[in-house]
Amino acid sequence: MTNLSRRKLITTGLATAAGVTGLGLAARLAQRQALIPPDHGGFYGVGETLNYASHRLLTRHSLAREFPKSQISKIPVANEIAPPSEAFRRLQAGGFADWRLSVSGMVDRPASFSLAHLKSYPSRSQITQLVCEEGWSYIAEWIGVPLSHVLEVVGIQPQAKYVVYSSIDPGWWDSIDMADALHPQTVLAYGMNGPEIPVGNGGPLRMRVPRQLGYKSVKFITGLTVTDSLKAFGKGLGSASPEAGYAWYAGI
Amino acid sequence: MVSHPRFYWGETGNVHTPTLFKLPIPASRNLVPTGYDYVLPDQNGWSRYLHFQSAWVVVLTGLLYATYGLFTGHFRYNLMSREGDLSWRTLSIAIAKNLRLERPSEAEAWTYNALQRLAYLFVIFVLFPLVIWTGLAMSPAFVSAVPAAVTLLGGQQSARTMHFFVSVFLLLFLLIHIVMVCRAGFRSRMRAMITGHASTHMERT
């Protein structure tokens, strides 16, 4: 072996070692900074992780665009929903007076709120766009209580990493990380272009996550669970969406 | 596209708003009035995963290629138009040769002609940046950090419509490119593309 090729061998070896160490460090850092999405496994995991990590680095605190009243869509789209269950129709007949939002998990004071109770908290009104992954969109004014306020009331524990939210429709649940959960524009909305949300648009209570596509804004919210791991929920992919083939992170 | 084959201009667009144009195809959602009485199966989940993963491949290799092209002078020496290249005479000769399906001569085969240079420059510096920009402009999270990305384009639906057209142009370029490669000698061209070296004799196929 000549000197030159030995030198080459050593440089290549060192570069490879540095590369592998770098990748390992990046992976560990990403884990610590919560830059790995729950659906990071499988063939599309690399792209999904790059999407989520880059968005988290770029958009942790940024605000979704808000619009003037004049840009509110004349007819907000009410896309198809599953036929309401017996329980939902009973609640609807009672004017949703008995609708409850339960909050549990890693919180100091688990609680159950009525709509009236939620409405007694400071409200936030925002005119934002709802974009569906299918391609259509509309702009509406959403009124509700910031999720961060509800989380403050129940007292989230320091190890909390995600908020899981579920619909009265048992097959429909989702989750967001703390960056989105504590984001000022993430609201538990009870009003749309007026004091109430029509059932077709998710009334009486809809999660609004305006920095993500429409499917993260789950309709008919009845429960919140604060957690440090999504492994125990469903198939452990973070929400019902990846189980149906859709990405957990939908900021794109 | 198949889930909502309607295109709009401006900020918002949906089944209740007028379209810029509609594609005459059935949709994969029955929310959309298409005139067809059937609905295609939904393919959006995996195709969105694939789309965004491919987008990373395009962006990362594109960055490598652009850096390489700038530093080695590839763009300057091989792609920038030469003196006289942009005259109507040169261009019309190149177009006429293509239309007559004439094979390039031995000498021409190893350089880019005026038309090729224009097409490559357009694809590299106009279409690819545009397809990335219009794509990012559709992301609600990205535009929360960089709102100008979408406002400069005139709105989220304008960005979607432009993204559609730019991707059609890119697809057309790809198809024409493949046809030309085959005509010029598939094996020798592929060898040249991969190794960066052109063999001295032309392949006769």
Side-chain angles (χ1 to χ4, degrees):
Chain A
M1 190 181 268
T2 65
N3 271 336
L4 192 70
S5 70
R6 187 173 300 142
R7 192 178 302 151
K8 212 172 182 179
L9 191 74
I10 292 170
T11 345
T12 319
L14 282 178
T16 314
V20 170
T21 319
L23 274 180
L25 276 178
R28 188 140 0 126
L29 198 69
Q31 197 83 53
R32 183 139 23 107
Q33 297 296 313
L35 297 177
I36 313 260
D39 54 346
H40 64 272
F43 179 69
Y44 300 121
V46 179
E48 209 39 44
T49 304
L50 285 170
N51 291 344
Y52 178 59
S54 59
H55 277 222
R56 267 301 155 262
L57 294 173
L58 183 71
T59 69
R60 196 170 287 274
H61 301 292
S62 60
L63 291 176
R65 289 188 304 151
E66 296 195 20
F67 299 86
K69 267 197 157 39
S70 59
Q71 267 185 279
I72 292 177
S73 303
K74 286 192 185 67
I75 311 173
V77 179
N79 55 334
E80 284 173 293
I81 47 173
S85 63
E86 183 54 42
F88 186 90
R89 270 178 289 160
R90 230 185 358 254
L91 287 163
Q92 189 175 17
F96 297 118
D98 293 328
W99 190 274
R100 307 296 288 187
L101 171 76
S102 68
V103 188
S104 59
M106 291 179 163
V107 295
D108 294 333
R109 298 168 291 277
S112 171
F113 301 95
S114 66
L115 289 176
H117 199 156
L118 290 175
K119 287 177 185 176
S120 72
Y121 290 134
S123 74
R124 182 185 169 102
S125 149
Q126 61 200 23
I127 301 172
T128 51
Q129 196 170 38
L130 189 146
V131 181
C132 180
E133 54 81 26
E134 295 171 14
W136 51 267
S137 58
Y138 68 89
I139 292 175
E141 179 178 30
W142 298 90
I143 305 140
V145 51
L147 177 61
S148 63
H149 185 83
V150 175
L151 295 176
E152 201 180 299
V153 169
V154 294
I156 45 172
Q157 292 166 4
Q159 65 270 40
K161 280 194 183 139
Y162 302 97
V163 174
V164 177
Y165 43 103
S166 49
S167 162
I168 194 165
D169 176 351
W172 205 7
W173 60 282
D174 214 310
S175 68
I176 43 178
D177 62 8
M178 294 319 282
D180 264 329
L182 300 176
H183 189 270
Q185 288 170 314
T186 301
V187 297
L188 280 159
Y190 44 72
M192 186 193 82
N193 298 338
E196 283 169 7
I197 305 180
V199 168
N201 294 93
L205 194 64
R206 180 172 192 178
M207 184 67 83
R208 267 298 282 147
V209 190
R211 296 191 308 170
Q212 296 203 40
L213 296 179
Y215 68 81
K216 293 297 275 193
S217 292
V218 172
K219 294 164 176 165
F220 322 125
I221 297 291
T222 53
L224 304 177
T225 311
V226 180
T227 179
D228 64 343
S229 166
L230 295 166
K231 290 209 169 71
F233 297 87
K235 293 181 183 164
L237 299 174
S239 72
S241 310
E243 293 174 14
Y246 283 81
W248 171 77
Y249 178 68
I252 191 167
Chain B
M1 187 185 84
V2 176
S3 60
H4 199 83
R6 292 159 59 95
F7 289 84
Y8 311 91
W9 199 253
E11 197 58 73
T12 56
N14 55 60
V15 287
H16 303 303
T17 65
T19 59
L20 194 63
F21 64 94
K22 293 178 222 177
L23 297 179
I25 55 169
S28 62
R29 305 296 160 97
N30 48 17
L31 178 78
V32 197
T34 56
Y36 293 86
D37 55 0
Y38 58 94
V39 171
L40 297 171
D42 173 30
Q43 306 288 344
N44 276 16
W46 69 269
S47 57
R48 287 175 54 83
Y49 271 123
L50 177 64
H51 185 118
F52 299 133
Q53 178 136 308
S54 316
W56 279 105
V57 175
V58 166
V59 168
L60 296 178
T61 51
L63 278 178
L64 263 179
Y65 172 74
T67 320
Y68 170 84
L70 284 177
F71 278 96
T72 59
H74 170 61
F75 296 142
R76 226 170 324 135
Y77 300 124
N78 299 331
L79 291 183
M80 289 307 275
S81 50
R82 293 178 180 168
E83 201 138 342
D85 253 11
L86 286 179
S87 72
W88 282 117
R89 223 181 91 75
T90 328
L91 284 179
S92 53
I93 290 174
I95 292 171
K97 274 187 177 172
N98 274 313
L99 288 180
R100 284 200 299 267
L101 298 181
E102 220 169 81
R103 276 175 174 285
S105 71
E106 190 100 3
E108 286 172 323
W110 302 111
T111 59
Y112 298 138
N113 68 34
L115 212 54
Q116 277 175 302
R117 285 162 194 269
L118 271 184
Y120 295 159
L121 284 173
F122 189 67
V123 165
I124 296 165
F125 292 107
V126 178
L127 292 186
F128 267 110
L130 256 184
V131 89
I132 294 166
W133 177 11
T134 53
L136 287 171
M138 279 187 276
S139 153
F142 182 82
V143 300
S144 72
V146 192
V150 63
T151 49
L152 284 175
L153 296 177
Q156 202 262 349
Q157 290 294 340
S158 302
R160 177 171 179 257
T161 300
M162 283 186 245
H163 196 69
F164 170 74
F165 280 115
V166 177
S167 56
V168 167
F169 282 133
L170 279 172
L171 189 65
L172 273 178
F173 170 80
L174 177 72
L175 292 178
I176 295 173
H177 186 66
I178 291 174
V179 170
M180 301 295 241
V181 166
C182 290
R183 274 188 51 217
F186 184 77
R187 283 178 56 192
S188 72
R189 291 290 136 173
M190 286 311 286
R191 200 183 307 130
M193 271 188 244
I194 292 166
T195 64
H197 296 288
S199 61
T200 45
H201 64 279
M202 256 191 85
E203 189 182 10
R204 301 278 172 205
T205 44

